[in-house]
Amino acid sequence: MPTKARAHTNIALVKYWGKRDPQLMLPQTDSLSLTLDKFFTDTTVTANGNLKHDRFTINGQVVDDKNAARLASFLDIVRQLAGTDTRFNVQSINHVPTSAGLASSASAFAALAAAASKEAGCHLNRRELSRLARRGSGSATRSVYGGLVEWHRGTSDQTSFAEPIMEHVDFPLEMLAIVIDASQKKISSRTGMQRCVETSPFYPEWRKIVTDDMIKMKTAIDAHDINRIGELAQENALRMHALTLSANPGYTYFEEQTITAMRLVDTLNDNGLPCYYTMDAGPNVKLIYNNKDRQQLIDQLAPVFGKDRLIVAKPGPGVSITQL
Ligand code: 2P0
């Protein structure tokens, strides 16, 4: 009987940028994110004793060998957990408005972990599921939960998992993505973050910054203080991107329009419209603001970037599973 799971992507307000154990996928630091309603992955997994190899399609296309190998080694972990050697047929659909370049390994591996573990006969609680998703992709650890989520870096497989801070966000926090470039990034997160850990002279400082930012961000969330949340997220993102610039060789995910967006947001903020930005391992910019200011913001951004490249997202739910 096939099993289907849906998981939403998340955007970090305090970023994860580096592993201390790439094998177990243990991160260097804690991190904190907001799960979004607009971007999600639906994955259907069917166990099939007759298959010699796992089979994968994404949006109806057969997955290339390199990605299939990564997915199959994740399924090996599921098989080990379930005590089975059955192979799986995996069909994944990414629901992302247009081809926005915002599909992420977070929703992909959270959905795959949920559907495959259930299909293999494991009955995992959400903490166990979060730990399993972590083995596929770090950010997937957090996508098991909805709303505002914290990933405890931990020191072992057992202690590195996410937990919700506020699953149903009861204040008007919202994000707007400015789609700057939808193409594949040149330096993957995995390669990029490892280079920063190994070569940025600022890396030890980053670890201290994140420890502080986690405390400050949780205080701002407790106070429902959207401006403070935005301010802290922006500062944290800039410091993460300073690691890429200070790595050897240095690199950046920013494009010209990324800088244009950052400057525009700063100007709007200076002119009394509170909004803040954050960027991940790519050029797209995500704005953090109070949803009462949405229309005013769109009115300012649309003439510069085009209305079609602005996507509003609200806090979204955690992973859900259906047995078909
Ligand atoms: C984050 N990002 O906290 C950070 C901020 C991007 C920038 O997690 O190697 O796909 O699979 O653990 O999770 C993107 O990296 O990397 C990411 P792996 P992942 O959301």
Side-chain angles (χ1 to χ4, degrees), residues 10-17 19 25 31-33 70 104-106 109 134 136-140 142 151 185 189-191 193 240-241 279-281:
N10 69 78
I11 299 295
L13 302 173
V14 178
K15 308 287 187 193
Y16 144 62
W17 198 244
K19 298 174 182 64
M25 302 283 282
S31 56
L32 192 156
S33 60
R70 178 175 170 191
S104 111
S105 58
F109 277 99
R134 191 196 77 232
S137 185
S139 49
R142 300 181 307 237
W151 174 14
K185 55 195 166 221
S189 309
R190 197 159 287 193
T191 307
M193 67 174 78
M240 183 207 108
H241 287 277
M279 290 77 59
D280 293 290

Side-chain angles (χ1 to χ4, degrees), residues 51-204:
L51 287 179
K52 286 209 169 62
H53 304 284
D54 299 312
R55 286 198 190 154
F56 306 97
T57 62
I58 297 179
N59 297 341
Q61 303 280 320
V62 175
V63 170
D64 66 55
D65 289 352
K66 187 175 163 227
N67 283 311
R70 178 175 170 191
L71 291 164
S73 48
F74 177 74
L75 291 182
D76 287 341
I77 299 171
V78 177
R79 277 186 277 270
Q80 199 178 18
L81 209 60
T84 174
D85 58 6
T86 192
R87 304 288 134 174
F88 300 99
N89 194 4
V90 177
Q91 292 174 302
S92 222
I93 307 282
N94 279 322
H95 296 268
V96 181
T98 66
S99 55
L102 292 160
S104 111
S105 58
S107 55
F109 277 99
L112 181 60
S117 60
K118 185 84 170 181
E119 179 70 4
C122 298
H123 298 284
L124 304 184
N125 61 33
R126 291 208 295 174
R127 179 172 298 183
E128 289 163 338
L129 189 55
S130 171
R131 285 172 44 210
L132 175 62
R134 191 196 77 232
R135 304 293 296 275
S137 185
S139 49
T141 315
R142 300 181 307 237
S143 269
V144 168
Y145 297 99
L148 290 156
V149 182
E150 171 180 17
W151 174 14
H152 304 285
R153 70 184 164 128
T155 52
S156 63
D157 177 42
Q158 281 76 20
T159 54
S160 187
F161 52 82
E163 260 182 335
I165 294 174
M166 188 187 280
E167 278 230 80
H168 302 285
V169 178
D170 59 2
F171 59 102
L173 178 65
E174 198 166 275
M175 272 196 183
L176 183 154
I178 307 175
V179 180
I180 296 207
D181 184 357
S183 59
Q184 197 79 14
K185 55 195 166 221
K186 290 173 201 80
I187 300 180
S188 73
S189 309
R190 197 159 287 193
T191 307
M193 67 174 78
Q194 191 56 27
R195 192 189 297 174
C196 292
V197 173
E198 287 168 8
T199 66
S200 169
F202 304 146
Y203 204 86

